[in-house]
Amino acid sequence: MTSWMDMILVLLILPGFVMLGSSRLQACLGALALQGFLMGVLPLVSAESPITARLALLAAATVALKGVTLPKLLEKAMRRAEVRHEVEPFIGFGASILVGIAALAGSFWVSTRLPLPGSTEPSLAVAIALFNIFVGFTLLVTRKVALNQVVGYLVLESGIYIFGMSLALELPLMVELGILLDVFVAVFVMGIMIFHISRAFDHIDTDRLSTLKE
Amino acid sequence: MLLAIILTPFISGIAAFLIRATGARRALLVGGALVHFALVAAAWVVRPAPAVGGWLALDEAGLLFLSITTLLFTAAAVYAISFLKRSERGHSHSSLIIHHSSLNEEADDELFTNAPEAVLIGCLFFFLGTMSVVCASQHLGLLWVAVEATTLASAPLIYFHRHARSLEAAWKYLLICSIGIALALLGNFLIAVATLGTGGHEMPLHMNALIASAKLFSQPWLKAAFIFLLVGYGTKMGLAPLHTWLPDAHSESPSMVSALLSGALLNCAFLGILRARQILCAAGLGEFTNGLLIGLGLLSMAFAAVFILAQADYKRLLAYSSVEHMGILAIGVGVGGIGTFGALFHAVNHSLTKAMLFLVAGNILALYQTKSVTAVRGLSRRLPVTAALWLAGFFAITGAPPFGTFTSELTILRGAFAQGNMLVGIAYLALLGLIFVAMATVVLRMAQGTSEHNESAPEPWLSIVPPAVLGALVLMLGVYLPKALADVLNGAARLIGGM
């Protein structure tokens, strides 16, 4: 099954580049949905043992939440706030892709230096996890539209989640579902706030959120 | 019984959303708070048995922070009644006494609408429930879920006033804390990496299993894990330079929410760091954590001192003072020995004092309708009792004798010198002195002077009694430390590797 897993992992590079290179929020949300879907499938193909009820439930919850619900939710927020495009990011879209390429190379290099205890081979999953964490941070730091920052947060969280999965760590189901629930509520509240921001500031450009400072 | 402690707030929270009658909902707020308080008080007499297969258990550290939380929540609940009555009248009233100030520019004092009361009371209960889970959690994964849940439950509270500034504060709070806590999740996974190939794997991330086999874990991965957990929970705790959300959130939320954020929530995040330290101490890496804690602690105190100096907003002043005190807690744990005891004792004192100050600040804000320190004059004439509490709170928070804060700050200093950390002790003392002077100039000016109106304003007892009780407790702790509390403090200090 590992070849399947490797394929899914490699596919997980794609959404990151779409998000870095696209100014259209719709495209970013589409990439987010693709990423969520791949994340849901990942635990199924990485299992060495036959698929248990626990794994199936987890995969279904992940696909339903990260692949469908969250992107839909953000799309709704986008419609209500009437924004379509990122505006003047701190780093342009072309340059962001270059940052992404550098991040990808860096992630692979770091993963060769950090073999997991008990194995000598560098783990592809660790590299992909690091890449997604980098992409998440890049989006968070360089994008001004509130919606894109939420996307950045989700990519960051997914990266960390892939790292957890690469350990084949058997977290209790309650904790796994708790993590998913937290992410869901976080994005739900953020979605509501994006709407309020667009109403209060006529914009969801977080650059305008600068009254509170010293 | 442990389950009752955790379920009471959640059930009350759901009920708050369902109840339509305002009076009944307010009664529920105080009633639910009192039931939770009584249950936690009972836990001091008979320690509750672990619940849910050992996932939830109250050790001394958990009991200590849970008790602080429930005490502050009860005070905040009583205070909230007067706050809600005030904001009902506020719409017609406040437009008459707006003071325009240099700090708050155009449109600042415009009338704001409040979120529905059901949201406030319901979220307050969820906030209490999630903090209770943090205190009782014995599993790092569950702890993480609960800490993130506290952020989500409290964000709507910060946005209660529904104007642009509270929205900005809530957005920053939600985003920065969520990212910080995501890093803590990575820290949890790194701990799991460290346990690979050892006995800790059967019950992953369970505190007892981790501590029992900590010696076998991979040390470099444990160190990396601690750094991520420190940065992650440190963001939520308000340690500089990760504190940027804190002054905004504390100054823009309603005062009893500020009191809970500062007095209870920051402690819960601190507990997350202490849990990580428990594991590293068990693995023999206590020394490694000490340096990081002391460094971040001193940096926090320095940041706070700079921003307290010439601070123009008294709620932000209190918020930066929280950054300072979180720094003191980190230093106390970092110097170890008796300093650990001092840090835990200081957590109690700081929470009581800071909650008192925020509640008093709420009274000042209600009358003057501005947070600018230059616009508040003649406090002792207009609100005599509030002014007295404000001054007492100032002396308590800056660690003047005979308050409990003095004892605990002194204990940390003794700890620093006893462990041979002369330089740390001296820097700590210098920063405390600087902050005392900086706060004194601001606070004393507010109490003195004359304002245009000199008649005294009414002070409803519901808004006076909660801060007064908290202040009296800090005073008592300075003079007399009850044996039960001393035992719990000692037990908790042993747990996290001091003494």
PDB file of all heavy atoms in Angstrom, chain A residues 117 140 149 160 167 170 172 182 186 193 196 209-212 214, chain B residues 55 145 148 159 168 171-172 175 182 189 193 204 248 307 316 320:
ATOM      1  N   PRO A 117      13.238   8.342  14.960  1.00  0.00           N
ATOM      2  CA  PRO A 117      13.913   7.317  15.748  1.00  0.00           C
ATOM      3  C   PRO A 117      13.401   5.933  15.327  1.00  0.00           C
ATOM      4  O   PRO A 117      12.210   5.765  15.112  1.00  0.00           O
ATOM      5  CB  PRO A 117      13.503   7.619  17.189  1.00  0.00           C
ATOM      6  CG  PRO A 117      12.999   9.001  17.177  1.00  0.00           C
ATOM      7  CD  PRO A 117      12.520   9.300  15.796  1.00  0.00           C
ATOM      8  N   LEU A 140      -0.027  33.084   5.878  1.00  0.00           N
ATOM      9  CA  LEU A 140      -0.424  33.868   7.045  1.00  0.00           C
ATOM     10  C   LEU A 140       0.307  35.195   7.093  1.00  0.00           C
ATOM     11  O   LEU A 140      -0.256  36.226   7.452  1.00  0.00           O
ATOM     12  CB  LEU A 140      -0.125  33.078   8.327  1.00  0.00           C
ATOM     13  CG  LEU A 140      -1.176  32.066   8.718  1.00  0.00           C
ATOM     14  CD1 LEU A 140      -0.638  31.147   9.778  1.00  0.00           C
ATOM     15  CD2 LEU A 140      -2.405  32.780   9.236  1.00  0.00           C
ATOM     16  N   GLN A 149      -5.955  34.383   5.235  1.00  0.00           N
ATOM     17  CA  GLN A 149      -5.247  34.036   6.472  1.00  0.00           C
ATOM     18  C   GLN A 149      -5.863  32.795   7.107  1.00  0.00           C
ATOM     19  O   GLN A 149      -5.156  31.959   7.669  1.00  0.00           O
ATOM     20  CB  GLN A 149      -5.284  35.211   7.439  1.00  0.00           C
ATOM     21  CG  GLN A 149      -4.482  36.385   6.906  1.00  0.00           C
ATOM     22  CD  GLN A 149      -4.452  37.556   7.849  1.00  0.00           C
ATOM     23  OE1 GLN A 149      -5.214  37.631   8.797  1.00  0.00           O
ATOM     24  NE2 GLN A 149      -3.554  38.486   7.582  1.00  0.00           N
ATOM     25  N   ILE A 160       0.745  20.014  10.143  1.00  0.00           N
ATOM     26  CA  ILE A 160       1.030  19.403  11.444  1.00  0.00           C
ATOM     27  C   ILE A 160       0.329  18.050  11.558  1.00  0.00           C
ATOM     28  O   ILE A 160       0.880  17.073  12.075  1.00  0.00           O
ATOM     29  CB  ILE A 160       0.602  20.360  12.569  1.00  0.00           C
ATOM     30  CG1 ILE A 160       1.500  21.594  12.555  1.00  0.00           C
ATOM     31  CG2 ILE A 160       0.653  19.687  13.922  1.00  0.00           C
ATOM     32  CD1 ILE A 160       1.046  22.703  13.441  1.00  0.00           C
ATOM     33  N   LEU A 167       3.610   9.380  11.778  1.00  0.00           N
ATOM     34  CA  LEU A 167       4.092   8.571  12.897  1.00  0.00           C
ATOM     35  C   LEU A 167       3.236   7.336  13.092  1.00  0.00           C
ATOM     36  O   LEU A 167       3.534   6.517  13.942  1.00  0.00           O
ATOM     37  CB  LEU A 167       4.055   9.382  14.189  1.00  0.00           C
ATOM     38  CG  LEU A 167       4.781  10.706  14.154  1.00  0.00           C
ATOM     39  CD1 LEU A 167       4.490  11.479  15.409  1.00  0.00           C
ATOM     40  CD2 LEU A 167       6.261  10.450  14.024  1.00  0.00           C
ATOM     41  N   GLU A 170      -1.308   6.160  17.140  1.00  0.00           N
ATOM     42  CA  GLU A 170      -2.672   5.773  17.461  1.00  0.00           C
ATOM     43  C   GLU A 170      -3.212   6.670  18.556  1.00  0.00           C
ATOM     44  O   GLU A 170      -3.287   6.278  19.716  1.00  0.00           O
ATOM     45  CB  GLU A 170      -2.729   4.308  17.895  1.00  0.00           C
ATOM     46  CG  GLU A 170      -2.561   3.331  16.770  1.00  0.00           C
ATOM     47  CD  GLU A 170      -3.892   2.870  16.197  1.00  0.00           C
ATOM     48  OE1 GLU A 170      -4.814   2.614  16.975  1.00  0.00           O
ATOM     49  OE2 GLU A 170      -3.995   2.773  14.956  1.00  0.00           O
ATOM     50  N   PRO A 172      -6.086   8.325  20.656  1.00  0.00           N
ATOM     51  CA  PRO A 172      -7.452   7.875  20.915  1.00  0.00           C
ATOM     52  C   PRO A 172      -8.436   8.626  20.027  1.00  0.00           C
ATOM     53  O   PRO A 172      -8.236   9.806  19.727  1.00  0.00           O
ATOM     54  CB  PRO A 172      -7.660   8.236  22.383  1.00  0.00           C
ATOM     55  CG  PRO A 172      -6.304   8.392  22.944  1.00  0.00           C
ATOM     56  CD  PRO A 172      -5.420   8.826  21.839  1.00  0.00           C
ATOM     57  N   ASP A 182     -12.401  21.138  17.039  1.00  0.00           N
ATOM     58  CA  ASP A 182     -11.804  22.439  17.338  1.00  0.00           C
ATOM     59  C   ASP A 182     -11.543  23.219  16.066  1.00  0.00           C
ATOM     60  O   ASP A 182     -11.851  24.405  15.971  1.00  0.00           O
ATOM     61  CB  ASP A 182     -10.483  22.252  18.099  1.00  0.00           C
ATOM     62  CG  ASP A 182     -10.703  22.182  19.595  1.00  0.00           C
ATOM     63  OD1 ASP A 182     -11.819  22.472  20.031  1.00  0.00           O
ATOM     64  OD2 ASP A 182      -9.750  21.859  20.312  1.00  0.00           O
ATOM     65  N   ALA A 186     -13.257  26.696  15.071  1.00  0.00           N
ATOM     66  CA  ALA A 186     -12.383  27.843  14.836  1.00  0.00           C
ATOM     67  C   ALA A 186     -12.714  28.482  13.502  1.00  0.00           C
ATOM     68  O   ALA A 186     -12.916  29.700  13.405  1.00  0.00           O
ATOM     69  CB  ALA A 186     -10.919  27.412  14.874  1.00  0.00           C
ATOM     70  N   MET A 193     -16.711  36.049  11.702  1.00  0.00           N
ATOM     71  CA  MET A 193     -16.019  37.310  11.941  1.00  0.00           C
ATOM     72  C   MET A 193     -15.617  37.985  10.636  1.00  0.00           C
ATOM     73  O   MET A 193     -15.610  39.211  10.548  1.00  0.00           O
ATOM     74  CB  MET A 193     -14.819  37.070  12.842  1.00  0.00           C
ATOM     75  CG  MET A 193     -15.276  36.862  14.268  1.00  0.00           C
ATOM     76  SD  MET A 193     -13.976  36.435  15.375  1.00  0.00           S
ATOM     77  CE  MET A 193     -12.969  37.843  15.219  1.00  0.00           C
ATOM     78  N   HIS A 196     -18.395  40.046   9.675  1.00  0.00           N
ATOM     79  CA  HIS A 196     -18.489  41.266  10.484  1.00  0.00           C
ATOM     80  C   HIS A 196     -17.401  42.270  10.109  1.00  0.00           C
ATOM     81  O   HIS A 196     -17.643  43.470  10.080  1.00  0.00           O
ATOM     82  CB  HIS A 196     -18.396  40.928  11.973  1.00  0.00           C
ATOM     83  CG  HIS A 196     -19.660  40.367  12.528  1.00  0.00           C
ATOM     84  ND1 HIS A 196     -20.749  41.141  12.802  1.00  0.00           N
ATOM     85  CD2 HIS A 196     -20.017  39.096  12.828  1.00  0.00           C
ATOM     86  CE1 HIS A 196     -21.724  40.384  13.266  1.00  0.00           C
ATOM     87  NE2 HIS A 196     -21.308  39.135  13.294  1.00  0.00           N
ATOM     88  N   LEU A 209      -6.970  46.583  10.096  1.00  0.00           N
ATOM     89  CA  LEU A 209      -7.138  46.266  11.521  1.00  0.00           C
ATOM     90  C   LEU A 209      -5.902  46.752  12.261  1.00  0.00           C
ATOM     91  O   LEU A 209      -5.042  45.981  12.618  1.00  0.00           O
ATOM     92  CB  LEU A 209      -7.311  44.769  11.734  1.00  0.00           C
ATOM     93  CG  LEU A 209      -8.511  44.102  11.093  1.00  0.00           C
ATOM     94  CD1 LEU A 209      -8.540  42.641  11.462  1.00  0.00           C
ATOM     95  CD2 LEU A 209      -9.788  44.765  11.564  1.00  0.00           C
ATOM     96  N   SER A 210      -5.800  48.054  12.421  1.00  0.00           N
ATOM     97  CA  SER A 210      -4.569  48.559  13.027  1.00  0.00           C
ATOM     98  C   SER A 210      -4.850  49.708  13.967  1.00  0.00           C
ATOM     99  O   SER A 210      -3.994  50.531  14.210  1.00  0.00           O
ATOM    100  CB  SER A 210      -3.609  48.990  11.927  1.00  0.00           C
ATOM    101  OG  SER A 210      -4.273  49.928  11.112  1.00  0.00           O
ATOM    102  N   THR A 211      -6.072  49.768  14.506  1.00  0.00           N
ATOM    103  CA  THR A 211      -6.343  50.811  15.491  1.00  0.00           C
ATOM    104  C   THR A 211      -5.649  50.504  16.799  1.00  0.00           C
ATOM    105  O   THR A 211      -5.161  51.388  17.481  1.00  0.00           O
ATOM    106  CB  THR A 211      -7.853  50.894  15.784  1.00  0.00           C
ATOM    107  OG1 THR A 211      -8.561  50.499  14.625  1.00  0.00           O
ATOM    108  CG2 THR A 211      -8.238  52.285  16.184  1.00  0.00           C
ATOM    109  N   LEU A 212      -5.615  49.212  17.142  1.00  0.00           N
ATOM    110  CA  LEU A 212      -5.092  48.822  18.438  1.00  0.00           C
ATOM    111  C   LEU A 212      -3.599  48.604  18.339  1.00  0.00           C
ATOM    112  O   LEU A 212      -3.139  47.584  17.866  1.00  0.00           O
ATOM    113  CB  LEU A 212      -5.767  47.530  18.904  1.00  0.00           C
ATOM    114  CG  LEU A 212      -7.276  47.608  19.078  1.00  0.00           C
ATOM    115  CD1 LEU A 212      -7.812  46.245  19.397  1.00  0.00           C
ATOM    116  CD2 LEU A 212      -7.629  48.567  20.173  1.00  0.00           C
ATOM    117  N   GLU A 214       0.423  50.317  19.947  1.00  0.00           N
ATOM    118  CA  GLU A 214       1.052  51.318  20.835  1.00  0.00           C
ATOM    119  C   GLU A 214       1.480  52.516  20.018  1.00  0.00           C
ATOM    120  O   GLU A 214       2.000  52.388  18.946  1.00  0.00           O
ATOM    121  CB  GLU A 214       2.266  50.702  21.527  1.00  0.00           C
ATOM    122  CG  GLU A 214       1.922  49.526  22.393  1.00  0.00           C
ATOM    123  CD  GLU A 214       0.805  49.820  23.379  1.00  0.00           C
ATOM    124  OE1 GLU A 214       0.727  50.964  23.854  1.00  0.00           O
ATOM    125  OE2 GLU A 214       0.005  48.919  23.657  1.00  0.00           O
TER     126      GLU A 214
ATOM    127  N   TRP B  55      -8.139   9.539  32.250  1.00  0.00           N
ATOM    128  CA  TRP B  55      -7.880  10.704  31.395  1.00  0.00           C
ATOM    129  C   TRP B  55      -8.055  11.997  32.145  1.00  0.00           C
ATOM    130  O   TRP B  55      -7.367  12.964  31.904  1.00  0.00           O
ATOM    131  CB  TRP B  55      -8.862  10.703  30.222  1.00  0.00           C
ATOM    132  CG  TRP B  55      -8.471   9.775  29.164  1.00  0.00           C
ATOM    133  CD1 TRP B  55      -8.001   8.511  29.316  1.00  0.00           C
ATOM    134  CD2 TRP B  55      -8.490  10.027  27.775  1.00  0.00           C
ATOM    135  NE1 TRP B  55      -7.739   7.971  28.110  1.00  0.00           N
ATOM    136  CE2 TRP B  55      -8.039   8.887  27.139  1.00  0.00           C
ATOM    137  CE3 TRP B  55      -8.866  11.134  27.016  1.00  0.00           C
ATOM    138  CZ2 TRP B  55      -7.932   8.798  25.763  1.00  0.00           C
ATOM    139  CZ3 TRP B  55      -8.774  11.049  25.644  1.00  0.00           C
ATOM    140  CH2 TRP B  55      -8.305   9.870  25.036  1.00  0.00           C
ATOM    141  N   VAL B 145      -6.766  19.849  23.043  1.00  0.00           N
ATOM    142  CA  VAL B 145      -8.126  20.109  22.562  1.00  0.00           C
ATOM    143  C   VAL B 145      -8.813  21.118  23.474  1.00  0.00           C
ATOM    144  O   VAL B 145      -9.471  22.063  23.014  1.00  0.00           O
ATOM    145  CB  VAL B 145      -8.924  18.790  22.507  1.00  0.00           C
ATOM    146  CG1 VAL B 145     -10.387  19.062  22.231  1.00  0.00           C
ATOM    147  CG2 VAL B 145      -8.358  17.870  21.445  1.00  0.00           C
ATOM    148  N   GLU B 148      -7.366  24.772  23.077  1.00  0.00           N
ATOM    149  CA  GLU B 148      -7.888  25.397  21.859  1.00  0.00           C
ATOM    150  C   GLU B 148      -9.367  25.756  22.048  1.00  0.00           C
ATOM    151  O   GLU B 148      -9.822  26.812  21.606  1.00  0.00           O
ATOM    152  CB  GLU B 148      -7.703  24.453  20.663  1.00  0.00           C
ATOM    153  CG  GLU B 148      -8.409  24.859  19.384  1.00  0.00           C
ATOM    154  CD  GLU B 148      -7.810  26.069  18.677  1.00  0.00           C
ATOM    155  OE1 GLU B 148      -6.662  26.428  19.007  1.00  0.00           O
ATOM    156  OE2 GLU B 148      -8.485  26.658  17.822  1.00  0.00           O
ATOM    157  N   TYR B 159     -15.732  39.898  21.675  1.00  0.00           N
ATOM    158  CA  TYR B 159     -16.464  40.657  20.664  1.00  0.00           C
ATOM    159  C   TYR B 159     -17.821  41.120  21.185  1.00  0.00           C
ATOM    160  O   TYR B 159     -18.655  41.579  20.429  1.00  0.00           O
ATOM    161  CB  TYR B 159     -16.628  39.788  19.408  1.00  0.00           C
ATOM    162  CG  TYR B 159     -17.264  40.479  18.251  1.00  0.00           C
ATOM    163  CD1 TYR B 159     -16.970  41.813  17.958  1.00  0.00           C
ATOM    164  CD2 TYR B 159     -18.168  39.835  17.431  1.00  0.00           C
ATOM    165  CE1 TYR B 159     -17.557  42.457  16.902  1.00  0.00           C
ATOM    166  CE2 TYR B 159     -18.765  40.468  16.363  1.00  0.00           C
ATOM    167  CZ  TYR B 159     -18.458  41.786  16.115  1.00  0.00           C
ATOM    168  OH  TYR B 159     -19.050  42.418  15.067  1.00  0.00           O
ATOM    169  N   GLU B 168     -11.578  43.832  15.958  1.00  0.00           N
ATOM    170  CA  GLU B 168     -10.149  43.712  15.658  1.00  0.00           C
ATOM    171  C   GLU B 168      -9.442  42.886  16.734  1.00  0.00           C
ATOM    172  O   GLU B 168      -8.648  41.989  16.436  1.00  0.00           O
ATOM    173  CB  GLU B 168      -9.545  45.121  15.582  1.00  0.00           C
ATOM    174  CG  GLU B 168      -8.067  45.132  15.257  1.00  0.00           C
ATOM    175  CD  GLU B 168      -7.486  46.539  15.304  1.00  0.00           C
ATOM    176  OE1 GLU B 168      -8.243  47.506  15.116  1.00  0.00           O
ATOM    177  OE2 GLU B 168      -6.277  46.660  15.529  1.00  0.00           O
ATOM    178  N   TRP B 171     -10.408  39.194  16.459  1.00  0.00           N
ATOM    179  CA  TRP B 171      -9.789  38.560  15.289  1.00  0.00           C
ATOM    180  C   TRP B 171      -8.333  38.216  15.570  1.00  0.00           C
ATOM    181  O   TRP B 171      -7.877  37.113  15.317  1.00  0.00           O
ATOM    182  CB  TRP B 171      -9.908  39.480  14.067  1.00  0.00           C
ATOM    183  CG  TRP B 171      -9.226  38.935  12.861  1.00  0.00           C
ATOM    184  CD1 TRP B 171      -8.001  39.315  12.382  1.00  0.00           C
ATOM    185  CD2 TRP B 171      -9.685  37.886  11.998  1.00  0.00           C
ATOM    186  NE1 TRP B 171      -7.681  38.574  11.275  1.00  0.00           N
ATOM    187  CE2 TRP B 171      -8.694  37.700  11.015  1.00  0.00           C
ATOM    188  CE3 TRP B 171     -10.840  37.107  11.973  1.00  0.00           C
ATOM    189  CZ2 TRP B 171      -8.821  36.747  10.015  1.00  0.00           C
ATOM    190  CZ3 TRP B 171     -10.955  36.165  10.966  1.00  0.00           C
ATOM    191  CH2 TRP B 171      -9.962  35.991  10.002  1.00  0.00           C
ATOM    192  N   LYS B 172      -7.595  39.196  16.113  1.00  0.00           N
ATOM    193  CA  LYS B 172      -6.179  38.949  16.429  1.00  0.00           C
ATOM    194  C   LYS B 172      -6.049  37.812  17.442  1.00  0.00           C
ATOM    195  O   LYS B 172      -5.191  36.945  17.316  1.00  0.00           O
ATOM    196  CB  LYS B 172      -5.542  40.211  17.021  1.00  0.00           C
ATOM    197  CG  LYS B 172      -5.193  41.259  16.013  1.00  0.00           C
ATOM    198  CD  LYS B 172      -4.464  42.393  16.723  1.00  0.00           C
ATOM    199  CE  LYS B 172      -4.261  43.571  15.804  1.00  0.00           C
ATOM    200  NZ  LYS B 172      -3.833  44.758  16.565  1.00  0.00           N
ATOM    201  N   LEU B 175      -6.829  34.401  15.754  1.00  0.00           N
ATOM    202  CA  LEU B 175      -5.858  33.942  14.771  1.00  0.00           C
ATOM    203  C   LEU B 175      -4.509  33.639  15.435  1.00  0.00           C
ATOM    204  O   LEU B 175      -3.942  32.568  15.240  1.00  0.00           O
ATOM    205  CB  LEU B 175      -5.703  34.994  13.666  1.00  0.00           C
ATOM    206  CG  LEU B 175      -5.169  34.425  12.366  1.00  0.00           C
ATOM    207  CD1 LEU B 175      -6.172  33.465  11.755  1.00  0.00           C
ATOM    208  CD2 LEU B 175      -4.861  35.531  11.371  1.00  0.00           C
ATOM    209  N   ALA B 182      -1.627  25.635  17.395  1.00  0.00           N
ATOM    210  CA  ALA B 182      -1.277  24.643  16.370  1.00  0.00           C
ATOM    211  C   ALA B 182       0.178  24.207  16.552  1.00  0.00           C
ATOM    212  O   ALA B 182       0.506  23.023  16.399  1.00  0.00           O
ATOM    213  CB  ALA B 182      -1.491  25.232  14.982  1.00  0.00           C
ATOM    214  N   PHE B 189       3.112  16.088  18.994  1.00  0.00           N
ATOM    215  CA  PHE B 189       3.538  15.032  18.085  1.00  0.00           C
ATOM    216  C   PHE B 189       5.031  14.744  18.259  1.00  0.00           C
ATOM    217  O   PHE B 189       5.466  13.595  18.150  1.00  0.00           O
ATOM    218  CB  PHE B 189       3.236  15.420  16.639  1.00  0.00           C
ATOM    219  CG  PHE B 189       1.772  15.351  16.296  1.00  0.00           C
ATOM    220  CD1 PHE B 189       1.209  16.228  15.392  1.00  0.00           C
ATOM    221  CD2 PHE B 189       0.949  14.402  16.881  1.00  0.00           C
ATOM    222  CE1 PHE B 189      -0.148  16.166  15.072  1.00  0.00           C
ATOM    223  CE2 PHE B 189      -0.399  14.330  16.576  1.00  0.00           C
ATOM    224  CZ  PHE B 189      -0.950  15.224  15.663  1.00  0.00           C
ATOM    225  N   VAL B 193       7.053  11.379  18.887  1.00  0.00           N
ATOM    226  CA  VAL B 193       8.238  10.890  18.182  1.00  0.00           C
ATOM    227  C   VAL B 193       9.280  10.406  19.187  1.00  0.00           C
ATOM    228  O   VAL B 193       9.880   9.340  19.022  1.00  0.00           O
ATOM    229  CB  VAL B 193       8.858  11.997  17.294  1.00  0.00           C
ATOM    230  CG1 VAL B 193      10.165  11.526  16.696  1.00  0.00           C
ATOM    231  CG2 VAL B 193       7.896  12.398  16.197  1.00  0.00           C
ATOM    232  N   PRO B 204      -0.260   6.371  24.316  1.00  0.00           N
ATOM    233  CA  PRO B 204       0.458   7.542  23.850  1.00  0.00           C
ATOM    234  C   PRO B 204      -0.035   8.836  24.486  1.00  0.00           C
ATOM    235  O   PRO B 204      -1.235   9.014  24.632  1.00  0.00           O
ATOM    236  CB  PRO B 204       0.204   7.542  22.337  1.00  0.00           C
ATOM    237  CG  PRO B 204      -0.926   6.641  22.103  1.00  0.00           C
ATOM    238  CD  PRO B 204      -0.993   5.696  23.233  1.00  0.00           C
ATOM    239  N   ASP B 248      -4.701  43.911  23.425  1.00  0.00           N
ATOM    240  CA  ASP B 248      -5.916  44.238  22.679  1.00  0.00           C
ATOM    241  C   ASP B 248      -7.111  43.501  23.266  1.00  0.00           C
ATOM    242  O   ASP B 248      -8.145  44.096  23.558  1.00  0.00           O
ATOM    243  CB  ASP B 248      -5.767  43.843  21.209  1.00  0.00           C
ATOM    244  CG  ASP B 248      -4.650  44.606  20.541  1.00  0.00           C
ATOM    245  OD1 ASP B 248      -4.185  45.589  21.143  1.00  0.00           O
ATOM    246  OD2 ASP B 248      -4.239  44.219  19.439  1.00  0.00           O
ATOM    247  N   PHE B 307       6.224  49.053  28.005  1.00  0.00           N
ATOM    248  CA  PHE B 307       4.900  49.492  27.572  1.00  0.00           C
ATOM    249  C   PHE B 307       4.065  50.051  28.720  1.00  0.00           C
ATOM    250  O   PHE B 307       3.095  50.773  28.488  1.00  0.00           O
ATOM    251  CB  PHE B 307       4.167  48.339  26.877  1.00  0.00           C
ATOM    252  CG  PHE B 307       4.687  48.099  25.499  1.00  0.00           C
ATOM    253  CD1 PHE B 307       5.537  47.035  25.234  1.00  0.00           C
ATOM    254  CD2 PHE B 307       4.370  48.957  24.463  1.00  0.00           C
ATOM    255  CE1 PHE B 307       6.032  46.817  23.967  1.00  0.00           C
ATOM    256  CE2 PHE B 307       4.868  48.754  23.191  1.00  0.00           C
ATOM    257  CZ  PHE B 307       5.699  47.677  22.938  1.00  0.00           C
ATOM    258  N   ARG B 316      -5.167  48.716  29.152  1.00  0.00           N
ATOM    259  CA  ARG B 316      -3.951  48.163  28.539  1.00  0.00           C
ATOM    260  C   ARG B 316      -2.834  48.079  29.565  1.00  0.00           C
ATOM    261  O   ARG B 316      -2.016  47.164  29.536  1.00  0.00           O
ATOM    262  CB  ARG B 316      -3.499  49.033  27.361  1.00  0.00           C
ATOM    263  CG  ARG B 316      -4.387  48.932  26.155  1.00  0.00           C
ATOM    264  CD  ARG B 316      -3.860  49.784  25.028  1.00  0.00           C
ATOM    265  NE  ARG B 316      -2.866  49.085  24.221  1.00  0.00           N
ATOM    266  CZ  ARG B 316      -3.173  48.269  23.225  1.00  0.00           C
ATOM    267  NH1 ARG B 316      -4.422  48.058  22.915  1.00  0.00           N
ATOM    268  NH2 ARG B 316      -2.241  47.678  22.519  1.00  0.00           N
ATOM    269  N   TYR B 320      -0.675  44.780  30.216  1.00  0.00           N
ATOM    270  CA  TYR B 320       0.784  44.639  30.196  1.00  0.00           C
ATOM    271  C   TYR B 320       1.301  44.156  31.543  1.00  0.00           C
ATOM    272  O   TYR B 320       2.294  43.428  31.616  1.00  0.00           O
ATOM    273  CB  TYR B 320       1.448  45.950  29.785  1.00  0.00           C
ATOM    274  CG  TYR B 320       1.465  46.117  28.288  1.00  0.00           C
ATOM    275  CD1 TYR B 320       0.699  47.080  27.658  1.00  0.00           C
ATOM    276  CD2 TYR B 320       2.222  45.264  27.493  1.00  0.00           C
ATOM    277  CE1 TYR B 320       0.685  47.198  26.289  1.00  0.00           C
ATOM    278  CE2 TYR B 320       2.215  45.374  26.118  1.00  0.00           C
ATOM    279  CZ  TYR B 320       1.447  46.338  25.514  1.00  0.00           C
ATOM    280  OH  TYR B 320       1.439  46.439  24.165  1.00  0.00           O
TER     281      TYR B 320
END
